[in-house]
């Protein structure tokens, strides 16, 4: 693909009809990456022409989500720009002349049909064996519109203030073709496209008209959007030709769907609740409290991991590398490596990405974040001590908050033991050995993990005890758990006195 860098302008054009689904964030991400990679501009346009579906707070949510992800637009409603306004409701007055142009060139027409008449048309068509009736190049000839009514009557109806919509006059039996950057050539017979309403009785354009006019006026070079918009693309292509803008038509790229984990259909907003993972970037509570969704941010995911995971739902770099930060994604991204088929969402992989990104963080960065979760930690423990705990348990953590749970034994002397594990692993007969081991370890002059390990191993040799017998008892006493970071490092960090008191406490409690 040859790209003229100066003219690359892409847009993310969400409708503020609710919280932004992760599919929408992925669309924004791919647009952002494409713009940054090619030295172009990334524009946010709010498509709010449908007043009935407008949800208050949705625009704010969209902007906050993009900011959290680091996908800052170059132009948009709160930023402004040369091609504003960037909310379609604020562009209302701009659309009328374009509709007029379509009417004048016989590409669109007025339609006066009432909802009852439209219902009747559908019933009649169904009765004559048409399974999905539409207002189209055939049915329009028997409806009440400016193609069937005398000109004077049309004028009279409009002047009398009668309600009307404006419909596109779709071609009869023509192939509409365009080359999609991801799917290749797409060709649709115009008989399969209905005469969509492009201008509503409330004086607002519909999505199709506003979308095309704004892409043209905002000099959009590439339309990168979800596959659900592919069926609309032939109509958009036709609108470009009606306006005589063929040479300015953007390149289309329709992204593959994000599928449910089992691959059966598109990931929907309800799947999160059903399957136990978030499908929204941030928490969302609707005004009436009916919709409450958890976000990735609040669940403890880092935006870097979230973005990395989303990038891989549809794209791959063609190498083995999977962990990328945003600037690495920018340099590697290309539409050529976006696949056609849907990608299955995988929550365990998402957690894996979070774990990988957590490992890339410095201990100091992690400390700064966990202080926000547990703000009195620094009052109880020194910074140096917490940094050592982080270093020790970091590898085992998926979320930053796991540092606190994985590191619990370092922050509290209240050791809780699982009865099941105790029954399986605590052997009272070996208590004398544990006492002997403890006193040997206690006497180590320099209480370092290396020295602890050496003495521990030599005790095993001289006593003939098996590692698998005594180590679980030691671990249980110290942390209450069987799994955990290196016991020798843990003991070094806790110090000999804590080691001794915990072991004696355990012996006492498990008598
Ligand atoms: N407003 C549409 C949406 O909500 C935008 C589709 C497009 O990008 O053309 O997704």
């Amino acid at each position: 693909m040859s790209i003229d860098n100066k003219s690359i302008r892409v847009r993310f054009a969400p409708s503020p009809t609710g919280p932004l689904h992760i599919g929408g964030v992925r669309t924004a991400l791919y647009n952002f990456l494409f713009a940054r990679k090619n030295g172009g501009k990334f524009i946010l346009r709010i498509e709010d022409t449908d007043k009935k579906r407008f949800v208050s707070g949705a625009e704010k949510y969209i902007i906050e989500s993009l900011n959290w992800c680091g996908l800052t637009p170059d132009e948009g409603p709160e930023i402004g720009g040369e091609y504003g306004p960037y909310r379609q409701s604020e562009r209302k007055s701009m659309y009328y002349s374009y509709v007029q142009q379509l009417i004048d060139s016989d590409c669109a027409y007025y339609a006066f049909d009432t909802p009852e008449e439209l219902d009747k048309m559908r019933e009649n068509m169904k009765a004559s064996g048409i399974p999905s009736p539409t207002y189209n190049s055939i049915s329009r000839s028997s409806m009440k519109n400016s193609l069937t009514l005398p000109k004077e009557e049309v004028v009279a109806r409009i002047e009398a203030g009668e309600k009307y919509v404006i419909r596109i006059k779709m071609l009869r039996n023509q192939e509409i073709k365009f080359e999609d950057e991801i799917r290749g050539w797409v060709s649709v017979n115009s008989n399969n496209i209905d005469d969509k309403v492009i201008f509503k009785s409330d004086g607002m354009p519909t999505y199709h008209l506003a979308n095309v006019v704004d892409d043209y006026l905002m000099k959009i070079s590439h339309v990168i959007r979800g596959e659900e918009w592919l069926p609309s693309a032939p109509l958009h292509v036709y609108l470009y030709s009606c306006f005589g803008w063929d040479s300015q038509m953007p390149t289309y790229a329709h992204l593959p769907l994000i599928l449910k984990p089992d691959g059966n259909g598109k990931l929907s907003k309800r799947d999160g609740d059903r399957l136990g993972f978030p499908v929204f970037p941030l928490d969302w509570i609707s005004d009436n409290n009916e919709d409450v969704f958890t976000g990735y941010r609040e669940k403890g995911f880092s935006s870097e991991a979230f973005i990395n995971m989303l990038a891989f739902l549809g794209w791959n770099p063609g190498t083995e590398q999977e962990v990328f930060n945003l600037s690495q994604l920018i340099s590697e991204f290309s539409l050529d490596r976006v696949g056609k088929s849907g990608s299955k969402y995988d929550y365990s992989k998402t957690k894996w990405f979070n774990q990988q990104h957590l490992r890339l963080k410095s201990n100091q960065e992690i400390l700064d974040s966990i202080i926000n979760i547990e703000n009195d930690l620094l009052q109880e423990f020194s910074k140096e001590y917490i940094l050592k705990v982080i270093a020790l348990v970091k590898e085992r953590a998926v979320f930053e908050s796991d540092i606190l749970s994985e590191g619990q034994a370092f922050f509290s002397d209240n050791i809780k033991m699982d009865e099941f594990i105790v029954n399986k692993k605590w052997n009272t007969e070996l208590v004398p050995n544990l006492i002997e081991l403890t006193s040997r370890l206690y006497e180590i002059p320099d209480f370092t993990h290396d020295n602890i390990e050496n003495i521990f191993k030599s005790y095993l040799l001289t006593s003939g005890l098996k590692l698998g017998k005594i180590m679980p008892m030691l671990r249980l006493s110290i942390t209450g758990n069987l799994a955990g970071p290196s016991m020798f490092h843990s003991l070094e960090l806790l110090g000999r006195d804590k080691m001794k008191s915990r072991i004696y406490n355990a012996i006492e409690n498990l008598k």
Side-chain angles (χ1 to χ4, degrees), residues 11 13-15 45 47 207 211 215 223-225 229 236:
R11 84 304 192 268
S15 298
R45 183 172 75 220
E47 301 209 323
Y207 156 72
N211 187 270
D215 282 348
V223 167
I224 304 170
R225 62 185 175 191
W229 300 103
H236 298 174

Side-chain angles (χ1 to χ4, degrees), residues 215-365:
D215 282 348
Y216 169 76
L217 292 177
M218 294 182 178
K219 297 203 166 50
I220 298 302
S221 61
H222 293 73
V223 167
I224 304 170
R225 62 185 175 191
E227 187 181 288
E228 61 274 31
W229 300 103
L230 188 59
S232 303
L235 169 62
H236 298 174
V237 170
Y238 178 54
L239 279 167
Y240 276 93
S241 79
C242 290
F243 283 122
W245 298 337
D246 308 65
S247 60
Q248 282 108 313
M249 191 172 87
T251 302
Y252 284 99
H254 288 91
L255 306 175
L257 294 177
I258 299 180
L259 304 174
K260 294 180 202 297
D262 63 6
N264 277 326
K266 190 177 157 185
L267 185 69
S268 82
K269 63 177 188 176
R270 303 277 163 208
D271 286 332
D273 285 347
R274 201 170 58 82
L275 302 167
F277 55 79
V279 288
F280 295 99
L282 318 177
D283 272 4
W284 167 265
I285 304 176
S286 62
D287 279 352
N288 57 8
N289 286 340
E290 252 171 43
D291 278 341
V292 179
F293 299 118
T294 311
Y296 280 86
R297 182 179 65 182
E298 289 77 5
K299 194 99 185 160
F301 285 87
S302 68
S303 59
E304 294 86 356
F306 176 62
I307 285 301
N308 193 166
M309 174 279 288
L310 280 183
F312 273 75
L313 285 177
W315 169 85
N316 73 76
T319 63
E320 293 295 303
Q321 188 183 345
E322 290 186 279
V323 180
F324 286 82
N325 63 26
L326 196 54
S327 50
Q328 291 168 323
L329 285 173
I330 292 170
S331 60
E332 290 304 310
F333 186 79
S334 83
L335 287 175
D336 302 347
R337 299 213 61 87
V338 175
K340 285 194 195 53
S341 47
S343 303
K344 284 188 212 162
Y345 175 82
D346 181 345
Y347 191 44
S348 37
K349 189 76 191 188
T350 307
K351 288 197 277 194
W352 179 85
F353 276 115
N354 209 58
Q355 185 172 37
Q356 302 307 310
H357 281 270
L358 186 58
R359 288 179 186 175
L360 292 175
K361 284 197 177 172
S362 72
N363 296 344
Q364 181 63 48
E365 281 175 288

Side-chain angles (χ1 to χ4, degrees), residues 45-68:
R45 183 172 75 220
I46 299 293
E47 301 209 323
D48 56 351
T49 53
D50 192 345
K51 288 183 198 146
K52 282 193 234 95
R53 296 186 60 219
F54 180 84
V55 170
S56 81
E59 180 185 318
K60 193 166 161 268
Y61 181 96
I62 292 165
I63 293 174
E64 207 183 321
S65 302
L66 295 182
N67 285 341
W68 179 61

